[in-house]
């Protein structure tokens, strides 16, 4: 048992909390990272109490000075947690009261319910801005590599079977555009968190003349809560954030899977930089793509964080329930993992060496030009279904006889040398002309459009 006088509710209780309760319910182990935001919220609240005369000017000054000290202690790592510090709010208030007795008044008109909402919204707004900036950096890496990829091409796949050759730049930009949608989702989640809930109290507001609008302005939120019950029970913004982070995790896992394959001896499309690969403890020849594998693997727990959070929120009655404390660990874990993943995968992509020869060799199978051949026939007036059948028959002949599709095409009366030329190595990516398509001509336009998209994203992120 801890000293009963240490709890925030000791007046109402006969004894102190059981050790088992402390162990099971205390959140200080992970909400300590909200310290700076908790202190920021407390400063605004204390000034608000001063404005309406609930604290004298000297009391306000004393408490603000104590908050400065506590902030410095957290920043330098010298803050000493006590066993009774249940959560970050308790710890900050306890220490402030030691430093300035007037701090016994700082919780006036406030509850930990509106306090935790304030803390996590402040924290999340900032952290999601950082994730958005990391996504822009990732887009930059992919764009830079796309620009330097030039005319390089590789097989495009469907069903993981070689389908049609595509420019390497087009492939890299596919991932880059994907991260653009992640930026949209992250910014939407950031906007959902941009609501001040300070002043909602435990659930009902206060009989004291507090001013949530000024709180919102001073905390840099764009708006305040409209309904106190909703304010203290809303965790939608956390679900939005965890979902947006999950989608990034899924996208990183897709790149991870791709790069595991690309770096394999079988495909050999990419050689990882030594700084972004690992060796084997036993097999001296090994060079392993651990970052790519972990991007694949960590998506599992990130999806788990989202489903766990949603399950926690399900069926909760209004308003605050202690269940809501379970929102933080999945959020923190997803954010930490995604931030580290973006950095690691971005570095892996930026430093790798593409083996464009191996890519071209894999793409240069004349069979991969079969669609272009069918479209050649379409241009001369053949119905596409018939063209498909003509080329399909030629492909079957090539496979069963071992003759080359190029030779068979050249000798075919409906096709001929002009059609056969379409199957020459490297030709396919010149054939495609449709906007947004995998051809070197539309690629130039796509690169320009992406550059504008990237510049707009960068400006948005810098304005946050
Ligand atoms: N640690 C709590 C949480 O994260 C803070 C709010 C506690 N409120 C309460 N009434 N027990 O949700």
């Amino acid at each position: 048992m801890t000293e009963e006088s240490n709890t925030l509710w000791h007046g109402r209780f006969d004894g102190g909390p059981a050790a088992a309760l402390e162990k099971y319910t205390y959140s200080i182990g992970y909400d300590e990272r909200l310290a700076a935001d908790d202190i920021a919220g407390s400063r605004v609240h204390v000034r608000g109490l001063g404005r309406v005369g609930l604290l004298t000017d000297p009391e306000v000054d004393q408490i603000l000075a104590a908050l400065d000290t506590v902030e410095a202690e957290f920043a330098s790592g010298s803050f000493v947690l006590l066993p009774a510090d249940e959560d970050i709010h308790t710890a900050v208030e306890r220490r402030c009261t030691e430093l300035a007795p007037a701090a016994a008044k700082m919780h006036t008109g406030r509850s930990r319910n509106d306090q935790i909402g304030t803390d996590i919204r402040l924290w999340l707004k900032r952290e999601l801005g950082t994730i958005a900036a990391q996504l822009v950096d990732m887009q930059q890496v992919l764009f830079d590599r796309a620009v330097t990829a030039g005319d390089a091409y590789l097989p495009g796949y469907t069903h993981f079977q070689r389908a049609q050759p595509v420019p390497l730049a087009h492939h890299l930009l596919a991932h880059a555009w994907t991260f653009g949608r992640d930026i949209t989702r992250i910014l939407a989640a950031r906007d959902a968190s941009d609501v001040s809930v300070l002043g909602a109290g435990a659930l009902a507001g206060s009989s004291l003349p507090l001013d949530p609008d000024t709180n919102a302005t001073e905390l840099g939120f764009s708006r305040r809560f409209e309904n106190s019950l909703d304010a203290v029970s809303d965790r939608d913004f956390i679900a939005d954030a965890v979902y947006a982070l999950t989608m990034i995790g899924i996208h990183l896992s897709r790149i991870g899977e791709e790069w595991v394959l690309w770096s394999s001896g079988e495909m050999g499309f990419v050689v990882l930089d030594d700084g972004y690969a690992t060796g084997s403890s036993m097999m001296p020849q090994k060079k392993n793509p651990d970052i790519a594998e972990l991007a694949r693997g960590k998506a599992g727990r990130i999806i788990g964080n989202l489903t766990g959070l949603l399950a926690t929120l399900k069926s909760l009655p209004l308003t605050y329930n202690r269940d809501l404390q379970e929102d933080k660990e999945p959020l923190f874990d997803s954010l930490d993992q995604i931030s580290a993943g973006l950095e690691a995968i971005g570095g892996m992509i930026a430093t790798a060496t593409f083996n464009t020869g191996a890519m071209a060799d894999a793409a240069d199978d004349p069979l991969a030009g079969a669609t272009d051949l069918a479209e050649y026939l379409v241009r001369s007036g053949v119905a596409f279904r018939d063209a498909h059948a003509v080329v399909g028959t030629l492909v079957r002949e090539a496979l069963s006889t071992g003759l080359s599709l190029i030779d068979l095409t050249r000798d075919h009366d409906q096709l001929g040398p002009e059609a056969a030329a379409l199957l020459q190595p490297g030709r396919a990516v010149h054939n495609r002309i449709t906007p947004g398509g995998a051809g070197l001509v539309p690629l130039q336009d796509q690169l320009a459009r992406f550059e504008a998209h990237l510049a707009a994203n960068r400006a948005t992120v810098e304005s946050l």
Side-chain angles (χ1 to χ4, degrees):
M1 299 255 186
T2 48
E3 287 295 309
E4 58 183 281
S5 61
N6 284 339
T7 64
L8 298 175
W9 51 83
H10 61 92
R12 161 73 174 78
F13 278 54
D14 253 345
L21 178 137
E22 294 180 355
K23 188 174 168 196
Y24 194 55
T25 68
Y26 284 14
S27 54
I28 190 66
Y30 48 85
D31 65 18
E32 204 187 329
R33 69 193 288 175
L34 299 173
D37 298 297
D38 195 74
I39 290 165
S42 289
R43 280 197 186 101
V44 168
H45 182 63
V46 165
R47 282 201 293 267
L49 293 174
R51 267 195 304 277
V52 297
L54 287 164
L55 291 174
T56 64
D57 287 348
E59 286 173 331
V60 169
D61 292 344
Q62 281 170 32
I63 302 172
L64 291 178
L67 284 166
D68 288 349
T69 304
V70 174
E71 185 174 46
E73 288 177 354
F74 271 108
S76 67
S78 63
F79 188 93
V80 180
L81 284 173
L82 298 185
D85 291 338
E86 172 187 335
D87 53 28
I88 187 59
H89 327 300
T90 321
V92 170
E93 186 182 330
R94 187 265 307 156
R95 180 71 183 127
C96 278
T97 313
E98 287 168 9
L99 294 163
K105 294 185 178 178
M106 71 189 276
H107 209 54
T108 307
R110 181 177 73 171
S111 160
R112 285 183 294 161
N113 298 350
D114 56 347
Q115 204 178 350
I116 187 62
T118 303
D119 293 7
I120 201 115
R121 285 171 182 275
L122 283 173
W123 182 88
L124 198 48
K125 249 184 87 177
R126 185 179 57 248
E127 297 294 330
L128 291 179
T130 303
I131 295 288
Q134 286 191 276
L135 286 165
V136 174
D137 290 344
M138 173 67 95
Q139 288 193 303
Q140 184 77 54
V141 166
L142 289 162
F143 176 69
D144 291 345
R145 299 247 43 180
V147 168
T148 54
D151 293 355
Y153 58 92
L154 75 165
Y157 296 84
T158 60
H159 313 269
F160 204 63
Q161 305 288 317
R162 286 178 206 164
Q164 293 179 287
V166 301
L168 173 58
H170 190 65
H171 185 110
L172 293 168
L173 286 179
H175 291 304
W177 289 110
T178 301
F179 286 119
R181 294 193 295 276
D182 287 321
I183 293 172
T184 303
R185 267 185 291 272
I186 286 290
L187 293 179
R190 184 182 177 279
D191 182 63
S193 68
D194 187 16
V195 178
S196 180
V197 295
L198 188 59
L203 75 165
S206 175
S207 63
L208 300 168
L210 305 175
D211 181 8
D213 285 306
T214 307
N215 289 343
T217 308
E218 292 208 343
L219 287 168
F221 286 114
S222 64
R223 55 206 189 274
R224 69 154 164 88
F225 66 95
E226 298 287 348
N227 178 305
S228 62
L229 306 183
D230 183 35
V232 296
S233 61
D234 172 22
R235 295 295 183 271
D236 294 4
F237 66 102
I238 298 185
D240 291 347
V242 174
Y243 167 64
L245 292 165
T246 303
M247 287 310 300
I248 302 171
I250 286 173
H251 297 147
L252 292 175
S253 80
R254 295 179 69 176
I255 293 179
E257 165 72 349
E258 181 175 280
W259 280 56
V260 166
L261 297 168
W262 279 17
S263 63
S264 69
E266 282 68 17
M267 289 183 84
F269 287 2
V270 71
V271 179
L272 299 179
D273 182 79
D274 285 359
Y276 288 86
T278 57
S280 159
S281 60
M282 183 169 173
M283 299 170 283
Q285 85 284 10
K286 289 298 293 292
K287 183 165 173 180
N288 295 326
D290 291 31
I291 290 175
E293 292 168 275
L294 279 169
R296 218 169 43 180
K298 283 175 190 279
R301 77 193 246 196
I302 289 164
I303 293 166
N305 288 339
L306 175 62
T307 54
L309 175 70
L310 295 175
T312 295
L313 298 180
K314 178 194 166 296
S315 309
L316 282 183
L318 291 174
T319 57
Y320 180 84
N321 299 275
R322 191 65 179 267
D323 312 45
L324 292 177
Q325 179 170 291
E326 291 291 308
D327 60 359
K328 277 172 279 303
E329 286 171 290
L331 172 64
F332 293 161
D333 184 61
S334 289
L335 197 127
D336 291 343
Q337 290 300 328
I338 293 304
S339 180
L342 284 168
E343 196 183 335
I345 292 284
M348 177 188 82
I349 294 173
T351 56
T353 305
F354 291 124
N355 186 346
T356 52
M359 289 179 178
D361 286 348
D364 281 340
D365 179 353
L367 295 185
T371 309
D372 292 336
L373 218 48
E375 288 176 356
Y376 172 86
L377 285 173
V378 165
R379 275 196 293 276
S380 61
V382 180
F384 180 73
R385 266 305 133 232
D386 298 332
H388 189 289
V390 168
V391 177
T393 305
L394 268 194
V395 167
R396 180 147 53 92
E397 195 182 338
L399 290 174
S400 62
T401 61
L403 295 171
S404 103
L405 185 65
I406 296 182
D407 293 344
L408 290 170
T409 299
R410 192 187 314 105
D411 299 342
H412 193 278
D413 51 6
Q414 282 178 280
L415 292 161
E418 196 188 330
L422 296 175
L423 302 179
Q424 289 304 323
R427 178 67 192 269
V429 290
H430 292 276
N431 295 341
R432 265 169 255 115
I433 51 170
T434 45
L440 293 170
V441 172
L443 176 66
Q444 295 317 309
D445 179 50
Q446 186 189 169
L447 282 165
R449 292 165 81 106
F450 189 84
E451 196 169 17
H453 162 84
L454 183 56
N457 285 346
R458 175 126 2 239
T460 301
V461 164
E462 280 168 5
S463 73
L464 294 178

